[in-house]
Amino acid sequence: LQGIFVLGLPYALLHSGYSGLFLIVLAAALCCYTGKILIACLYEENEDGQLIRVRDTYEDVANACCKKLSPKLGGIVVNVTQVMELIMTCILYLVVSGNLLSHSFPYVPVTEKTWSVIAFVTLLPCVFIKTLKIVSKLSQLCSFVHFVIIFVVMTYCLTQIHQWSWAKFSLSLEFEDFLVSIGVIIFSYTSQIFLPTLEGNMKNPEEFRCMLNWTHCFACVLKTTFALTAFLTWGEETKEVITDNLPSFLQILVNLCLLTKALLSYPLPFFAATEIVCACISRSNYSNYSSPLFALCVRCSFLLLTLLMAIFIPHFALLMGLTGSVTGAAMTFLLPSLFHLKLKWKKLSFFEKSADISVFILGFLCSLAGTVFSIKGLLKVFG
């Protein structure tokens, strides 16, 4: 919930003004709600009225909802969406790595795309990652670097408090830019694909709802504080990646920390995406597809795909907005509310049904509009 993509939130405020602050809070509340109803879909009541966990994954929930149409249709849709989101996340890490390197060493005659290729070379060992043990250690380092970055940026912003002015917030909105901002904000909260596994591995699963409330509350406070202080510091000069606004003596230090964080963050979504694909193929009747050599080929293919996409779409905010609007909205709003209505319809109150339907409609409209205008923004950039 506090990943590298919080760096795009001040830029989102630039295009959404006061409504952006409201959206950050609203997105936290809605994501927390859909996380709870998604986990509720994992459980069914037994004859004694006790809740029993009968499903383990997002895929299991989808298959249960679509079993009358096709036993595996729902799982296929969810897996495709999950892989898209994870791969887009990997692409964003490469894009932001190239951006950070180009701004850290502006006097080196190398393009941003070339820097992305250089960053990509350091990620080649990812094809040999076979378990989460290595990924977990990298993630621990990643978390430490993240807090260092946030502390440095926030400290600098607070030293500029004498320049802050609420007049920097715009009351008028550019509708297209506003919709792209919605995608950026949504994407910064997406975590639903990890929740079933997380809840299943908790020592006390009954505390899941409480945990979700507190984590989303803290995430909302931290995101709002960070985005607000950064935007009040730079106003209309706020850039897509907020660290680009820092003075040169801090920029190189923070950018190198961010680069480290981005590279350390890459293995988790990459590993998750390749594991989903390999698991789906190995469940087929073709035993040759379960060989270690095939898994290595899948990982190499995905690694190369992320590089090619990062080179051809090197626009951080627009790409993040598109990802949030397409896969983020689907996995976070559309599918949880739809699955909850399908599996629990007879047991839901009128208020719960209304809430689910409202979330679905809101998610659909945001996804549709954000997708259209993110693509339009990308097309405009490419002329």
Side-chain angles (χ1 to χ4, degrees):
L1 293 178
Q2 287 299 113
I4 197 170
F5 305 115
V6 298
L7 300 176
L9 291 180
Y11 186 74
L13 284 189
L14 173 65
H15 293 294
S16 56
Y18 287 102
S19 61
L21 296 175
F22 172 73
L23 284 172
I24 293 174
V25 177
L26 179 63
L30 292 178
C31 290
C32 183
Y33 173 74
T34 56
K36 293 175 183 177
I37 62 176
L38 175 62
I39 296 304
C41 292
L42 301 176
Y43 290 84
E44 295 289 350
E45 288 186 1
N46 61 11
E47 296 178 355
D48 299 325
Q50 297 177 327
L51 289 176
I52 305 297
R53 202 175 200 262
V54 297
R55 304 177 187 97
D56 294 319
T57 65
Y58 211 140
E59 181 184 0
D60 293 339
V61 175
N63 284 331
C65 291
C66 301
K67 62 183 179 181
K68 291 184 178 179
L69 292 175
S70 173
K72 297 183 179 180
L73 176 62
I76 292 173
V77 172
V78 165
N79 282 334
V80 169
T81 307
Q82 284 187 100
V83 171
M84 284 179 59
E85 180 168 353
L86 291 167
I87 291 301
M88 290 293 275
T89 303
C90 292
I91 295 167
L92 282 167
Y93 285 133
L94 275 179
V95 170
V96 79
S97 295
N99 179 281
L100 292 168
L101 283 168
S102 65
H103 285 87
S104 298
F105 307 104
Y107 303 109
V108 178
V110 174
T111 65
E112 190 170 315
K113 294 180 180 180
T114 305
W115 280 122
S116 293
V117 174
I118 294 172
F120 168 80
V121 172
T122 66
L123 295 170
L124 290 176
C126 287
V127 299
F128 301 108
I129 296 177
K130 297 180 180 180
T131 68
L132 275 173
K133 288 183 178 180
I134 297 175
V135 177
S136 66
K137 293 177 181 179
L138 296 175
S139 296
Q140 285 181 324
L141 291 172
C142 178
S143 298
F144 174 75
V145 174
H146 174 79
F147 284 112
V148 171
I149 295 165
I150 296 299
F151 175 77
V152 171
V153 175
M154 291 284 290
T155 301
Y156 176 78
C157 290
L158 291 174
T159 63
Q160 306 298 309
I161 196 170
H162 60 280
Q163 298 181 1
W164 289 9
S165 172
W166 288 96
K168 294 179 180 180
F169 272 93
S170 174
L171 294 176
S172 60
L173 297 174
E174 289 290 337
F175 187 64
E176 294 184 17
D177 292 334
F178 172 69
L179 290 173
V180 173
S181 297
I182 292 177
V184 172
I185 292 170
I186 290 174
F187 191 70
S188 72
Y189 278 108
T190 54
S191 64
Q192 269 66 8
I193 60 176
F194 303 108
L195 293 185
T197 303
L198 175 62
E199 192 264 356
N201 285 278
M202 286 181 68
K203 184 177 180 180
N204 300 305
E206 63 276 6
E207 296 180 356
F208 177 82
R209 295 174 68 89
C210 180
M211 178 276 295
L212 214 60
N213 289 335
W214 280 107
T215 50
H216 280 76
C217 179
F218 281 125
C220 178
V221 171
L222 290 170
K223 287 178 192 293
T224 304
T225 303
F226 178 76
L228 187 59
T229 54
F231 179 73
L232 287 175
T233 301
W234 289 290
E236 293 185 358
E237 296 179 1
T238 301
K239 298 180 180 179
E240 288 187 21
V241 182
I242 195 61
T243 53
D244 291 347
N245 288 102
L246 290 171
S248 56
F249 70 93
L250 279 178
Q251 190 174 3
I252 294 178
L253 171 65
V254 173
N255 281 354
L256 290 177
C257 288
L258 279 169
L259 174 65
T260 303
K261 176 176 172 55
L263 296 178
L264 289 172
S265 299
Y266 184 97
L268 177 58
F270 175 79
F271 177 82
T274 54
E275 284 295 293
I276 291 172
V277 172
C278 290
C280 290
I281 296 176
S282 64
R283 285 198 294 264
S284 66
N285 296 324
Y286 301 99
S287 58
N288 292 335
Y289 290 155
S290 60
S291 67
L293 181 60
F294 174 75
L296 183 63
C297 291
V298 170
R299 291 194 287 269
C300 289
S301 299
F302 272 58
L303 200 66
L304 185 59
L305 174 64
T306 60
L307 174 64
L308 294 175
M309 290 293 288
I311 290 174
F312 287 110
I313 314 179
H315 297 281
F316 180 72
L318 288 173
L319 188 57
M320 185 164 61
L322 178 61
T323 305
S325 298
V326 181
T327 60
M331 299 298 292
T332 306
F333 297 133
L334 301 180
L335 296 181
S337 55
L338 185 63
F339 293 162
H340 195 233
L341 287 169
K342 173 68 176 176
L343 294 174
K344 307 290 183 180
W345 178 265
K346 294 181 180 179
K347 298 179 181 179
L348 296 179
S349 65
F350 174 78
F351 174 78
E352 290 172 323
K353 291 177 182 177
S354 300
D356 286 354
I357 293 171
S358 299
V359 169
F360 180 85
I361 294 173
L362 181 63
F364 176 77
L365 293 176
C366 290
S367 177
L368 180 63
T371 300
V372 170
F373 290 110
S374 293
I375 292 175
K376 187 176 178 180
L378 287 170
L379 293 176
K380 186 186 296 183
V381 168
F382 287 110

